Amino acid sequence: MNSLTSLQIMQDAPVIPVIVIHDAAHAVPLARALVAGGIRMLEVTLRTAAALDAIKHIAQEVPEAVVGAGTVCHPRDAESAMRAGARFVVSPGYTQTLGQYCRKGGWVLLPGVSTASEIMMAMEDGYTELKFFPAMQSGGVAMLKALGGPFGHIKFCPTGGITPQNASEFLALKNVICVGGSWLAPGDVMVAGDYARITQLAREAVALKRRAL
Ligand code: 3PG
């Protein structure tokens, strides 16, 4: 059922929206608005009581979207997300427990790392596409350039502190395929029901240039 790879997920658009949903009723209109703007890969964070329902609704009602779960810290989070219909999972950090569990289950995991040692641990378990988190706080563009020396074959999705203003600096790096960010799904815009604004934000994100494709 899940034939996507993490590389394909990262290549689909320059930005993966990091979504925090407090009201599951916002999930489908949000997903449709993002898809209308050209963003299909959606990361719904497991940080709210509504998250699993949101994933379920998007999986069932927005077939053009590929919904994943973020903030996955343990195999049980991945299990719940997959049961709800998630097609990939994203973690803020790396543990062998989570990495090996997802690999064994054939589940697509985009694991978070922020140090050379964490990259080496993820590599040992076969992961070469990684989230760099929290990107700005962990050294930003300079750190990614430095990591590109010893880890030239690793591709990153920097997330954390990325904005429409600084995204291009990251996307210009040869080891960055896409970035992650919460600016595409602002909570107040969802509450106001201004989904046209979200489609506009998605269009602007899709237009960002990237180097490593
Ligand atoms: C998160 O986990 O909240 C993401 O890193 C999003 O961070 P951002 O709000 O800085 O985009």
PDB file of all heavy atoms in Angstrom, residues 44-78:
ATOM      1  N   VAL A  44       1.104  15.972   9.806  1.00  0.00           N
ATOM      2  CA  VAL A  44       0.215  16.355  10.911  1.00  0.00           C
ATOM      3  C   VAL A  44       0.875  15.882  12.211  1.00  0.00           C
ATOM      4  O   VAL A  44       1.078  14.681  12.416  1.00  0.00           O
ATOM      5  CB  VAL A  44      -1.173  15.707  10.759  1.00  0.00           C
ATOM      6  CG1 VAL A  44      -2.063  16.036  11.962  1.00  0.00           C
ATOM      7  CG2 VAL A  44      -1.847  16.173   9.467  1.00  0.00           C
ATOM      8  N   THR A  45       1.200  16.818  13.078  1.00  0.00           N
ATOM      9  CA  THR A  45       1.936  16.452  14.294  1.00  0.00           C
ATOM     10  C   THR A  45       1.014  15.796  15.319  1.00  0.00           C
ATOM     11  O   THR A  45      -0.126  16.230  15.518  1.00  0.00           O
ATOM     12  CB  THR A  45       2.590  17.695  14.927  1.00  0.00           C
ATOM     13  OG1 THR A  45       1.572  18.666  15.189  1.00  0.00           O
ATOM     14  CG2 THR A  45       3.616  18.305  13.998  1.00  0.00           C
ATOM     15  N   LEU A  46       1.556  14.797  15.974  1.00  0.00           N
ATOM     16  CA  LEU A  46       0.788  14.093  17.019  1.00  0.00           C
ATOM     17  C   LEU A  46       0.944  14.839  18.340  1.00  0.00           C
ATOM     18  O   LEU A  46       1.494  14.324  19.305  1.00  0.00           O
ATOM     19  CB  LEU A  46       1.283  12.652  17.172  1.00  0.00           C
ATOM     20  CG  LEU A  46       1.188  11.731  15.959  1.00  0.00           C
ATOM     21  CD1 LEU A  46       1.560  10.293  16.346  1.00  0.00           C
ATOM     22  CD2 LEU A  46      -0.203  11.757  15.345  1.00  0.00           C
ATOM     23  N   ARG A  47       0.520  16.076  18.341  1.00  0.00           N
ATOM     24  CA  ARG A  47       0.694  16.907  19.542  1.00  0.00           C
ATOM     25  C   ARG A  47      -0.620  17.319  20.137  1.00  0.00           C
ATOM     26  O   ARG A  47      -0.649  18.040  21.123  1.00  0.00           O
ATOM     27  CB  ARG A  47       1.402  18.207  19.160  1.00  0.00           C
ATOM     28  CG  ARG A  47       2.827  18.036  18.919  1.00  0.00           C
ATOM     29  CD  ARG A  47       3.432  19.360  18.563  1.00  0.00           C
ATOM     30  NE  ARG A  47       4.544  19.067  17.717  1.00  0.00           N
ATOM     31  CZ  ARG A  47       5.311  19.953  17.143  1.00  0.00           C
ATOM     32  NH1 ARG A  47       5.082  21.228  17.336  1.00  0.00           N
ATOM     33  NH2 ARG A  47       6.303  19.573  16.397  1.00  0.00           N
ATOM     34  N   THR A  48      -1.679  16.987  19.464  1.00  0.00           N
ATOM     35  CA  THR A  48      -2.994  17.436  19.935  1.00  0.00           C
ATOM     36  C   THR A  48      -3.920  16.232  19.990  1.00  0.00           C
ATOM     37  O   THR A  48      -3.690  15.216  19.304  1.00  0.00           O
ATOM     38  CB  THR A  48      -3.603  18.464  18.963  1.00  0.00           C
ATOM     39  OG1 THR A  48      -3.775  17.825  17.694  1.00  0.00           O
ATOM     40  CG2 THR A  48      -2.729  19.695  18.802  1.00  0.00           C
ATOM     41  N   ALA A  49      -4.979  16.376  20.752  1.00  0.00           N
ATOM     42  CA  ALA A  49      -5.952  15.285  20.865  1.00  0.00           C
ATOM     43  C   ALA A  49      -6.638  15.024  19.530  1.00  0.00           C
ATOM     44  O   ALA A  49      -7.116  13.925  19.273  1.00  0.00           O
ATOM     45  CB  ALA A  49      -6.990  15.654  21.925  1.00  0.00           C
ATOM     46  N   ALA A  50      -6.660  16.034  18.666  1.00  0.00           N
ATOM     47  CA  ALA A  50      -7.373  15.901  17.384  1.00  0.00           C
ATOM     48  C   ALA A  50      -6.502  15.292  16.283  1.00  0.00           C
ATOM     49  O   ALA A  50      -7.006  14.993  15.195  1.00  0.00           O
ATOM     50  CB  ALA A  50      -7.870  17.273  16.935  1.00  0.00           C
ATOM     51  N   ALA A  51      -5.225  15.083  16.553  1.00  0.00           N
ATOM     52  CA  ALA A  51      -4.290  14.738  15.463  1.00  0.00           C
ATOM     53  C   ALA A  51      -4.659  13.445  14.725  1.00  0.00           C
ATOM     54  O   ALA A  51      -4.680  13.414  13.492  1.00  0.00           O
ATOM     55  CB  ALA A  51      -2.872  14.654  16.009  1.00  0.00           C
ATOM     56  N   LEU A  52      -4.955  12.391  15.468  1.00  0.00           N
ATOM     57  CA  LEU A  52      -5.223  11.105  14.792  1.00  0.00           C
ATOM     58  C   LEU A  52      -6.509  11.170  13.974  1.00  0.00           C
ATOM     59  O   LEU A  52      -6.577  10.628  12.857  1.00  0.00           O
ATOM     60  CB  LEU A  52      -5.258   9.958  15.801  1.00  0.00           C
ATOM     61  CG  LEU A  52      -3.895   9.574  16.386  1.00  0.00           C
ATOM     62  CD1 LEU A  52      -4.055   8.546  17.508  1.00  0.00           C
ATOM     63  CD2 LEU A  52      -2.940   9.029  15.321  1.00  0.00           C
ATOM     64  N   ASP A  53      -7.515  11.858  14.507  1.00  0.00           N
ATOM     65  CA  ASP A  53      -8.756  12.030  13.737  1.00  0.00           C
ATOM     66  C   ASP A  53      -8.487  12.857  12.486  1.00  0.00           C
ATOM     67  O   ASP A  53      -9.042  12.590  11.418  1.00  0.00           O
ATOM     68  CB  ASP A  53      -9.816  12.739  14.581  1.00  0.00           C
ATOM     69  CG  ASP A  53     -10.592  11.752  15.439  1.00  0.00           C
ATOM     70  OD1 ASP A  53     -10.515  10.539  15.162  1.00  0.00           O
ATOM     71  OD2 ASP A  53     -11.249  12.202  16.390  1.00  0.00           O
ATOM     72  N   ALA A  54      -7.648  13.865  12.638  1.00  0.00           N
ATOM     73  CA  ALA A  54      -7.310  14.714  11.485  1.00  0.00           C
ATOM     74  C   ALA A  54      -6.647  13.863  10.397  1.00  0.00           C
ATOM     75  O   ALA A  54      -6.988  13.960   9.211  1.00  0.00           O
ATOM     76  CB  ALA A  54      -6.378  15.836  11.930  1.00  0.00           C
ATOM     77  N   ILE A  55      -5.708  13.021  10.796  1.00  0.00           N
ATOM     78  CA  ILE A  55      -5.021  12.144   9.834  1.00  0.00           C
ATOM     79  C   ILE A  55      -6.033  11.229   9.149  1.00  0.00           C
ATOM     80  O   ILE A  55      -6.031  11.058   7.921  1.00  0.00           O
ATOM     81  CB  ILE A  55      -3.920  11.332  10.552  1.00  0.00           C
ATOM     82  CG1 ILE A  55      -2.765  12.260  10.944  1.00  0.00           C
ATOM     83  CG2 ILE A  55      -3.427  10.172   9.681  1.00  0.00           C
ATOM     84  CD1 ILE A  55      -1.716  11.642  11.835  1.00  0.00           C
ATOM     85  N   LYS A  56      -6.936  10.679   9.955  1.00  0.00           N
ATOM     86  CA  LYS A  56      -7.947   9.761   9.416  1.00  0.00           C
ATOM     87  C   LYS A  56      -8.815  10.466   8.373  1.00  0.00           C
ATOM     88  O   LYS A  56      -9.045   9.951   7.274  1.00  0.00           O
ATOM     89  CB  LYS A  56      -8.811   9.259  10.583  1.00  0.00           C
ATOM     90  CG  LYS A  56      -9.564   7.992  10.270  1.00  0.00           C
ATOM     91  CD  LYS A  56     -10.563   7.694  11.357  1.00  0.00           C
ATOM     92  CE  LYS A  56     -10.029   6.733  12.383  1.00  0.00           C
ATOM     93  NZ  LYS A  56     -10.969   6.447  13.470  1.00  0.00           N
ATOM     94  N   HIS A  57      -9.290  11.653   8.693  1.00  0.00           N
ATOM     95  CA  HIS A  57     -10.154  12.387   7.760  1.00  0.00           C
ATOM     96  C   HIS A  57      -9.425  12.718   6.461  1.00  0.00           C
ATOM     97  O   HIS A  57      -9.969  12.567   5.374  1.00  0.00           O
ATOM     98  CB  HIS A  57     -10.664  13.685   8.394  1.00  0.00           C
ATOM     99  CG  HIS A  57     -11.654  13.460   9.504  1.00  0.00           C
ATOM    100  ND1 HIS A  57     -12.715  12.603   9.389  1.00  0.00           N
ATOM    101  CD2 HIS A  57     -11.741  13.988  10.741  1.00  0.00           C
ATOM    102  CE1 HIS A  57     -13.408  12.608  10.519  1.00  0.00           C
ATOM    103  NE2 HIS A  57     -12.836  13.425  11.362  1.00  0.00           N
ATOM    104  N   ILE A  58      -8.179  13.161   6.596  1.00  0.00           N
ATOM    105  CA  ILE A  58      -7.436  13.532   5.375  1.00  0.00           C
ATOM    106  C   ILE A  58      -7.206  12.280   4.528  1.00  0.00           C
ATOM    107  O   ILE A  58      -7.403  12.289   3.308  1.00  0.00           O
ATOM    108  CB  ILE A  58      -6.096  14.218   5.734  1.00  0.00           C
ATOM    109  CG1 ILE A  58      -6.356  15.555   6.440  1.00  0.00           C
ATOM    110  CG2 ILE A  58      -5.255  14.435   4.470  1.00  0.00           C
ATOM    111  CD1 ILE A  58      -5.117  16.211   7.039  1.00  0.00           C
ATOM    112  N   ALA A  59      -6.811  11.191   5.182  1.00  0.00           N
ATOM    113  CA  ALA A  59      -6.542   9.945   4.439  1.00  0.00           C
ATOM    114  C   ALA A  59      -7.790   9.474   3.696  1.00  0.00           C
ATOM    115  O   ALA A  59      -7.718   9.002   2.560  1.00  0.00           O
ATOM    116  CB  ALA A  59      -6.034   8.869   5.394  1.00  0.00           C
ATOM    117  N   GLN A  60      -8.942   9.629   4.335  1.00  0.00           N
ATOM    118  CA  GLN A  60     -10.174   9.115   3.727  1.00  0.00           C
ATOM    119  C   GLN A  60     -10.777  10.073   2.706  1.00  0.00           C
ATOM    120  O   GLN A  60     -11.374   9.652   1.728  1.00  0.00           O
ATOM    121  CB  GLN A  60     -11.213   8.825   4.815  1.00  0.00           C
ATOM    122  CG  GLN A  60     -10.865   7.595   5.625  1.00  0.00           C
ATOM    123  CD  GLN A  60     -11.808   7.380   6.802  1.00  0.00           C
ATOM    124  OE1 GLN A  60     -12.657   8.216   7.098  1.00  0.00           O
ATOM    125  NE2 GLN A  60     -11.640   6.260   7.494  1.00  0.00           N
ATOM    126  N   GLU A  61     -10.622  11.366   2.961  1.00  0.00           N
ATOM    127  CA  GLU A  61     -11.406  12.325   2.166  1.00  0.00           C
ATOM    128  C   GLU A  61     -10.595  13.173   1.187  1.00  0.00           C
ATOM    129  O   GLU A  61     -11.178  13.874   0.367  1.00  0.00           O
ATOM    130  CB  GLU A  61     -12.191  13.251   3.114  1.00  0.00           C
ATOM    131  CG  GLU A  61     -13.206  12.481   3.949  1.00  0.00           C
ATOM    132  CD  GLU A  61     -13.876  13.349   4.991  1.00  0.00           C
ATOM    133  OE1 GLU A  61     -14.333  14.445   4.642  1.00  0.00           O
ATOM    134  OE2 GLU A  61     -13.929  12.930   6.167  1.00  0.00           O
ATOM    135  N   VAL A  62      -9.287  13.124   1.307  1.00  0.00           N
ATOM    136  CA  VAL A  62      -8.469  13.937   0.379  1.00  0.00           C
ATOM    137  C   VAL A  62      -7.438  13.022  -0.287  1.00  0.00           C
ATOM    138  O   VAL A  62      -6.250  13.006   0.078  1.00  0.00           O
ATOM    139  CB  VAL A  62      -7.779  15.116   1.119  1.00  0.00           C
ATOM    140  CG1 VAL A  62      -7.214  16.120   0.109  1.00  0.00           C
ATOM    141  CG2 VAL A  62      -8.735  15.819   2.072  1.00  0.00           C
ATOM    142  N   PRO A  63      -7.872  12.251  -1.270  1.00  0.00           N
ATOM    143  CA  PRO A  63      -6.975  11.263  -1.867  1.00  0.00           C
ATOM    144  C   PRO A  63      -5.780  11.875  -2.595  1.00  0.00           C
ATOM    145  O   PRO A  63      -4.761  11.198  -2.784  1.00  0.00           O
ATOM    146  CB  PRO A  63      -7.877  10.508  -2.850  1.00  0.00           C
ATOM    147  CG  PRO A  63      -9.081  11.365  -3.053  1.00  0.00           C
ATOM    148  CD  PRO A  63      -9.226  12.206  -1.821  1.00  0.00           C
ATOM    149  N   GLU A  64      -5.870  13.147  -2.950  1.00  0.00           N
ATOM    150  CA  GLU A  64      -4.725  13.793  -3.642  1.00  0.00           C
ATOM    151  C   GLU A  64      -3.592  14.083  -2.661  1.00  0.00           C
ATOM    152  O   GLU A  64      -2.456  14.326  -3.074  1.00  0.00           O
ATOM    153  CB  GLU A  64      -5.143  15.131  -4.283  1.00  0.00           C
ATOM    154  CG  GLU A  64      -6.347  15.052  -5.195  1.00  0.00           C
ATOM    155  CD  GLU A  64      -7.677  15.203  -4.434  1.00  0.00           C
ATOM    156  OE1 GLU A  64      -7.685  15.175  -3.179  1.00  0.00           O
ATOM    157  OE2 GLU A  64      -8.712  15.324  -5.116  1.00  0.00           O
ATOM    158  N   ALA A  65      -3.902  14.094  -1.386  1.00  0.00           N
ATOM    159  CA  ALA A  65      -2.873  14.384  -0.387  1.00  0.00           C
ATOM    160  C   ALA A  65      -2.213  13.085   0.074  1.00  0.00           C
ATOM    161  O   ALA A  65      -2.791  12.007  -0.009  1.00  0.00           O
ATOM    162  CB  ALA A  65      -3.510  15.089   0.813  1.00  0.00           C
ATOM    163  N   VAL A  66      -0.984  13.225   0.547  1.00  0.00           N
ATOM    164  CA  VAL A  66      -0.296  12.110   1.200  1.00  0.00           C
ATOM    165  C   VAL A  66      -0.059  12.561   2.630  1.00  0.00           C
ATOM    166  O   VAL A  66       0.763  13.453   2.877  1.00  0.00           O
ATOM    167  CB  VAL A  66       1.042  11.789   0.504  1.00  0.00           C
ATOM    168  CG1 VAL A  66       1.803  10.719   1.273  1.00  0.00           C
ATOM    169  CG2 VAL A  66       0.803  11.351  -0.937  1.00  0.00           C
ATOM    170  N   VAL A  67      -0.811  11.988   3.540  1.00  0.00           N
ATOM    171  CA  VAL A  67      -0.723  12.478   4.913  1.00  0.00           C
ATOM    172  C   VAL A  67       0.252  11.630   5.727  1.00  0.00           C
ATOM    173  O   VAL A  67       0.264  10.403   5.630  1.00  0.00           O
ATOM    174  CB  VAL A  67      -2.126  12.537   5.580  1.00  0.00           C
ATOM    175  CG1 VAL A  67      -2.776  11.186   5.730  1.00  0.00           C
ATOM    176  CG2 VAL A  67      -2.057  13.244   6.933  1.00  0.00           C
ATOM    177  N   GLY A  68       1.093  12.331   6.481  1.00  0.00           N
ATOM    178  CA  GLY A  68       2.027  11.668   7.377  1.00  0.00           C
ATOM    179  C   GLY A  68       1.824  12.193   8.786  1.00  0.00           C
ATOM    180  O   GLY A  68       1.096  13.161   9.002  1.00  0.00           O
ATOM    181  N   ALA A  69       2.487  11.544   9.734  1.00  0.00           N
ATOM    182  CA  ALA A  69       2.384  11.967  11.136  1.00  0.00           C
ATOM    183  C   ALA A  69       3.732  12.492  11.602  1.00  0.00           C
ATOM    184  O   ALA A  69       4.771  11.867  11.351  1.00  0.00           O
ATOM    185  CB  ALA A  69       1.961  10.793  12.003  1.00  0.00           C
ATOM    186  N   GLY A  70       3.714  13.632  12.280  1.00  0.00           N
ATOM    187  CA  GLY A  70       4.937  14.170  12.869  1.00  0.00           C
ATOM    188  C   GLY A  70       4.932  13.984  14.374  1.00  0.00           C
ATOM    189  O   GLY A  70       3.964  13.491  14.957  1.00  0.00           O
ATOM    190  N   THR A  71       6.038  14.374  14.990  1.00  0.00           N
ATOM    191  CA  THR A  71       6.199  14.235  16.436  1.00  0.00           C
ATOM    192  C   THR A  71       6.054  12.773  16.864  1.00  0.00           C
ATOM    193  O   THR A  71       5.500  12.479  17.924  1.00  0.00           O
ATOM    194  CB  THR A  71       5.206  15.142  17.220  1.00  0.00           C
ATOM    195  OG1 THR A  71       5.050  16.392  16.528  1.00  0.00           O
ATOM    196  CG2 THR A  71       5.734  15.465  18.613  1.00  0.00           C
ATOM    197  N   VAL A  72       6.536  11.877  16.038  1.00  0.00           N
ATOM    198  CA  VAL A  72       6.504  10.448  16.360  1.00  0.00           C
ATOM    199  C   VAL A  72       7.789  10.125  17.129  1.00  0.00           C
ATOM    200  O   VAL A  72       8.890  10.275  16.598  1.00  0.00           O
ATOM    201  CB  VAL A  72       6.390   9.609  15.062  1.00  0.00           C
ATOM    202  CG1 VAL A  72       6.671   8.136  15.334  1.00  0.00           C
ATOM    203  CG2 VAL A  72       5.000   9.788  14.456  1.00  0.00           C
ATOM    204  N   CYS A  73       7.632   9.726  18.382  1.00  0.00           N
ATOM    205  CA  CYS A  73       8.801   9.510  19.241  1.00  0.00           C
ATOM    206  C   CYS A  73       9.000   8.047  19.586  1.00  0.00           C
ATOM    207  O   CYS A  73      10.061   7.659  20.079  1.00  0.00           O
ATOM    208  CB  CYS A  73       8.658  10.310  20.528  1.00  0.00           C
ATOM    209  SG  CYS A  73       8.641  12.085  20.244  1.00  0.00           S
ATOM    210  N   HIS A  74       7.992   7.232  19.372  1.00  0.00           N
ATOM    211  CA  HIS A  74       8.040   5.846  19.839  1.00  0.00           C
ATOM    212  C   HIS A  74       7.276   4.975  18.843  1.00  0.00           C
ATOM    213  O   HIS A  74       6.339   5.463  18.187  1.00  0.00           O
ATOM    214  CB  HIS A  74       7.366   5.786  21.223  1.00  0.00           C
ATOM    215  CG  HIS A  74       7.516   4.476  21.908  1.00  0.00           C
ATOM    216  ND1 HIS A  74       6.666   3.413  21.675  1.00  0.00           N
ATOM    217  CD2 HIS A  74       8.427   4.041  22.800  1.00  0.00           C
ATOM    218  CE1 HIS A  74       7.048   2.384  22.406  1.00  0.00           C
ATOM    219  NE2 HIS A  74       8.105   2.731  23.099  1.00  0.00           N
ATOM    220  N   PRO A  75       7.625   3.681  18.736  1.00  0.00           N
ATOM    221  CA  PRO A  75       6.872   2.817  17.823  1.00  0.00           C
ATOM    222  C   PRO A  75       5.359   2.876  18.032  1.00  0.00           C
ATOM    223  O   PRO A  75       4.606   2.798  17.067  1.00  0.00           O
ATOM    224  CB  PRO A  75       7.416   1.419  18.130  1.00  0.00           C
ATOM    225  CG  PRO A  75       8.833   1.665  18.524  1.00  0.00           C
ATOM    226  CD  PRO A  75       8.795   2.967  19.296  1.00  0.00           C
ATOM    227  N   ARG A  76       4.908   3.060  19.270  1.00  0.00           N
ATOM    228  CA  ARG A  76       3.451   3.070  19.466  1.00  0.00           C
ATOM    229  C   ARG A  76       2.818   4.292  18.791  1.00  0.00           C
ATOM    230  O   ARG A  76       1.680   4.217  18.335  1.00  0.00           O
ATOM    231  CB  ARG A  76       3.073   2.984  20.942  1.00  0.00           C
ATOM    232  CG  ARG A  76       3.407   4.180  21.745  1.00  0.00           C
ATOM    233  CD  ARG A  76       2.920   4.095  23.198  1.00  0.00           C
ATOM    234  NE  ARG A  76       3.634   5.104  23.963  1.00  0.00           N
ATOM    235  CZ  ARG A  76       4.737   4.894  24.669  1.00  0.00           C
ATOM    236  NH1 ARG A  76       5.234   3.676  24.777  1.00  0.00           N
ATOM    237  NH2 ARG A  76       5.352   5.881  25.283  1.00  0.00           N
ATOM    238  N   ASP A  77       3.553   5.402  18.705  1.00  0.00           N
ATOM    239  CA  ASP A  77       3.034   6.579  17.987  1.00  0.00           C
ATOM    240  C   ASP A  77       2.917   6.254  16.501  1.00  0.00           C
ATOM    241  O   ASP A  77       1.938   6.618  15.846  1.00  0.00           O
ATOM    242  CB  ASP A  77       3.989   7.780  18.115  1.00  0.00           C
ATOM    243  CG  ASP A  77       4.255   8.191  19.544  1.00  0.00           C
ATOM    244  OD1 ASP A  77       3.374   7.989  20.394  1.00  0.00           O
ATOM    245  OD2 ASP A  77       5.356   8.724  19.806  1.00  0.00           O
ATOM    246  N   ALA A  78       3.935   5.570  15.996  1.00  0.00           N
ATOM    247  CA  ALA A  78       3.928   5.207  14.566  1.00  0.00           C
ATOM    248  C   ALA A  78       2.775   4.249  14.285  1.00  0.00           C
ATOM    249  O   ALA A  78       2.058   4.403  13.291  1.00  0.00           O
ATOM    250  CB  ALA A  78       5.266   4.585  14.183  1.00  0.00           C
TER     251      ALA A  78
END
